[in-house]
Amino acid sequence: MFESLSERLGGVFDRLTKQGALSADDVKTAMREVRVALLEADVSLPVARQFIKSVEGKATGAAVTKSVTPGQQVVKIVHDELIKMLAGEEAADALKIDNPPAPILMVGLQGSGKTTTTAKLAKRLKDREGKRVLMASLDTNRPAAMEQLQILGTQIGVDTLPIVKGESAVQIAKRAKQQATLGGYDVYMLDTAGRLHIDEVLMDEVQAVRDVANPRETLLVVDGLTGQDAVNVATEFDEKVGVSGVVLTRMDGDGRGGAALSMRAVTGKPIRFVGLGEKMDALETFEAERIAGRILGMGDIVALVERAQETLEQEQAERMAKRFQKGLFNMNDMKNQLEQMIKMGGMQGVMGMMPGMSKYAKQAEDAGLNDKTITHQIALINSMTKKERANPQILQASRKKRIAAGAGLEVSDLNKLLKMHRQMSDSMKKLSKMGKGGMMKQAMK
Ligand code: GDP
Ligand code: MG
């Protein structure tokens, strides 16, 4: 549905054949694409602008690692900056709930997932931290709202404040506090009434509840599928009630999660949790990396770039590239390739990281290539002499027997390796004819 940022940038950088540093012009062009990607992910315009300003300077003049394309390099820089902006300094999971009973106030628009999140969080506090939690519904507006929380409470084994008809939200809050104190609870959670839009009457009500309860945490629950609106909602709630953290729900849907970046940038409030479904255990602590990947909509190009930077020694890469261009590919080259694959996380690692590579993964697996056979193949190559590695065509029966025995394997294993070498060698020759960048382009198709 969306075009990923790496796909967009692939086009931008096609004309860049020489790899080196990123020029100011290249970065400007790339940033236009980054902007579109952010807006498509529902990041608000001012936030997208601000973000691009901060990343532009960092990208200009940045060196491009030889083993990746400039497009991939830009994605990496953008991604790192996104994580920095999303993560902030505060630990996501650190709710301030010592000094029992600690009140947690849940606020947000109607249908954002407050009641569901209240129960999910209560369950989490009970299961993971052994807290005794009391939940109270302050939703006097919707007829079945209080029962909804009560049912969830029974389901997860968390107490709810008994329902008394006719009470106001403030009265319920007072009773919750009393009960939590008398009953020796560690935490009490106040699930407030929703509103469809920011509405003065309900906002006043939440303020009054806040003043009574004096919450240790006020969590704003926001639907992760909402875009621009999320920022207004967050700003408004923060000004009127004061928000200590954000919970993004419906992150199991196919929205891009740009709301996270917008809210973080505008309110500066940490995103503490994400809701990943309707089930009671579908709540996770916020991970900036995951959301950043989603916003950019890439396979895992970033991880690929990182690992390539870590593992691929530049000289080796250059030397290999030259050899491939000449159509040369002997057993030493093959060994290098196989070792690189292992460093990059094995077959699944390499295939999973490149978008569009999964169809090759199946082919390779059908051909018998997996992490175990890769290790075997390296052992076989290690068992060859220098001369044999340089000219595998000299391998006759007696040599084959010796090599297989040296690696503790069968001659049939060696034959498989030789066959694969021939196939790889053939495709290297073809790819080298297609010119620079051919291999990557082939793989991305
Ligand atoms: P409230 O009006 O803010 O209290 O919202 P509710 O908690 O009643 O949730 C509204 C609907 O959204 C319910 O059907 C929930 O099951 C659903 N919901 C809440 N959180 C999530 C989530 O993280 N993912 C999905 N898919 N649905 C959610
Ligand atoms: Mg509710």
Side-chain angles (χ1 to χ4, degrees):
M1 180 169 59
F2 297 101
E3 194 182 6
S4 76
L5 183 58
S6 34
E7 279 161 354
R8 291 176 187 291
L9 292 178
V12 172
F13 286 104
D14 260 356
R15 63 198 168 75
L16 263 187
T17 45
K18 211 173 69 208
Q19 301 185 351
L22 296 165
S23 78
D25 271 357
D26 295 329
V27 170
K28 269 225 147 52
T29 318
M31 286 308 130
R32 236 171 277 148
E33 298 296 330
V34 172
R35 201 179 123 183
V36 176
L38 292 177
L39 294 181
E40 268 192 6
D42 273 335
V43 175
S44 71
L45 184 60
V47 173
R49 279 210 193 106
Q50 180 200 331
F51 175 79
I52 279 169
K53 228 188 195 156
S54 77
V55 90
E56 204 164 31
K58 287 188 179 120
T60 308
V64 177
T65 304
K66 309 236 168 184
S67 52
V68 302
T69 68
Q72 291 171 337
Q73 189 79 16
V74 171
V75 172
K76 168 80 164 59
I77 294 168
V78 170
H79 180 263
D80 288 353
E81 193 62 21
L82 259 184
I83 290 180
K84 233 198 254 160
M85 247 175 115
L86 283 166
E89 292 91 43
E90 287 161 271
D93 206 7
L95 291 178
K96 292 186 212 72
I97 45 167
D98 37 1
N99 288 341
I104 301 180
L105 182 63
M106 307 295 286
V107 299
L109 293 186
Q110 189 176 345
S112 60
K114 281 181 305 302
T115 303
T116 313
T117 306
T118 300
K120 284 177 179 176
L121 188 54
K123 182 176 190 301
R124 190 184 170 97
L125 292 173
K126 172 180 81 110
D127 291 350
R128 301 206 184 189
E129 299 181 33
K131 300 279 187 200
R132 282 197 68 210
V133 184
L134 176 71
M135 305 190 292
S137 170
L138 278 54
D139 192 344
T140 54
N141 285 43
R142 275 203 328 211
M146 294 187 167
E147 283 78 10
Q148 184 194 353
L149 189 67
Q150 200 172 45
I151 291 164
L152 291 176
T154 312
Q155 198 182 314
I156 58 175
V158 169
D159 293 342
T160 44
L161 189 71
I163 297 169
V164 176
K165 297 280 175 204
E167 274 184 335
S168 72
V170 169
Q171 285 171 322
I172 302 171
K174 280 184 182 160
R175 193 155 57 85
K177 185 178 185 174
Q178 207 171 34
Q179 170 114 6
T181 311
L182 292 175
Y185 288 91
D186 298 309
V187 175
Y188 66 101
M189 303 185 67
L190 304 175
D191 175 24
T192 59
R195 54 224 69 223
L196 284 173
H197 308 283
I198 303 296
D199 147 333
E200 285 302 321
V201 179
L202 280 167
M203 215 48 132
D204 288 349
E205 184 182 289
V206 177
Q207 274 176 345
V209 167
R210 177 203 59 194
D211 294 344
V212 167
N214 195 13
R216 211 68 53 76
E217 293 279 353
T218 301
L219 298 180
L220 173 66
V221 180
V222 183
D223 182 344
L225 297 177
T226 52
Q228 317 269 347
D229 254 9
V231 179
N232 302 335
V233 170
T235 313
E236 194 79 11
F237 269 102
D238 193 32
E239 275 171 11
K240 296 270 164 64
V241 196
V243 166
S244 63
V246 175
V247 181
L248 274 185
T249 60
R250 297 212 179 80
M251 293 302 281
D252 50 314
D254 53 14
R256 279 291 180 81
L261 182 66
S262 302
M263 275 190 308
R264 174 80 209 173
V266 172
T267 66
K269 302 297 171 190
I271 298 158
R272 301 234 189 250
F273 299 99
V274 291
L276 291 165
E278 302 199 32
K279 295 228 176 75
M280 284 297 105
D281 51 7
L283 184 76
E284 289 183 7
T285 47
F286 173 75
E287 273 173 46
E289 294 206 11
R290 233 166 119 174
I291 307 292
R294 244 178 117 129
I295 291 175
L296 296 180
M298 54 214 170
D300 230 334
I301 283 286
V302 174
L304 178 68
V305 173
E306 263 163 13
R307 287 188 216 181
Q309 279 170 337
E310 278 166 22
T311 58
L312 209 79
E313 287 119 43
Q314 297 205 353
E315 281 102 307
Q316 185 190 327
E318 263 170 68
R319 195 165 43 77
M320 297 263 289
K322 274 202 190 112
R323 290 181 56 80
F324 293 167
Q325 267 161 30
K326 287 186 206 147
L328 294 173
F329 185 71
N330 66 21
M331 283 293 169
N332 286 317
D333 301 315
M334 180 143 182
K335 187 179 163 209
N336 275 330
Q337 290 286 296
L338 294 169
E339 281 168 351
Q340 279 305 328
M341 282 174 85
I342 287 187
K343 278 193 208 163
M344 294 172 91
M347 279 292 290
Q348 288 310 317
V350 176
M351 298 306 177
M353 277 187 285
M354 299 198 207
M357 279 298 263
S358 46
K359 64 177 180 211
Y360 290 95
K362 191 165 179 339
Q363 280 174 16
E365 268 170 10
D366 290 346
L369 200 61
N370 58 43
D371 292 350
K372 199 169 136 206
T373 49
I374 292 175
T375 321
H376 285 172
Q377 291 181 335
I378 292 174
L380 284 165
I381 298 174
N382 283 340
S383 167
M384 293 176 191
T385 64
K386 239 177 155 178
K387 202 170 145 197
E388 287 164 347
R389 287 188 206 181
N391 306 293
Q393 51 289 5
I394 66 172
L395 294 183
Q396 300 309 335
S398 62
R399 284 183 190 262
K400 281 187 184 175
K401 239 188 219 157
R402 193 207 78 240
I403 292 166
L409 294 162
E410 304 294 325
V411 171
S412 60
D413 295 316
L414 178 57
N415 285 334
K416 273 186 210 145
L417 169 72
L418 292 172
K419 187 174 165 204
M420 193 165 292
H421 170 258
R422 270 196 306 277
Q423 285 169 344
M424 283 175 84
S425 177
D426 285 349
S427 33
M428 287 299 163
K429 275 176 200 144
K430 271 184 218 146
L431 285 170
S432 69
K433 280 185 198 125
M434 287 174 22
K436 289 190 182 179
M439 190 167 171
M440 204 57 194
K441 270 183 213 154
Q442 244 334 74
M444 307 280 266
K445 270 192 186 132

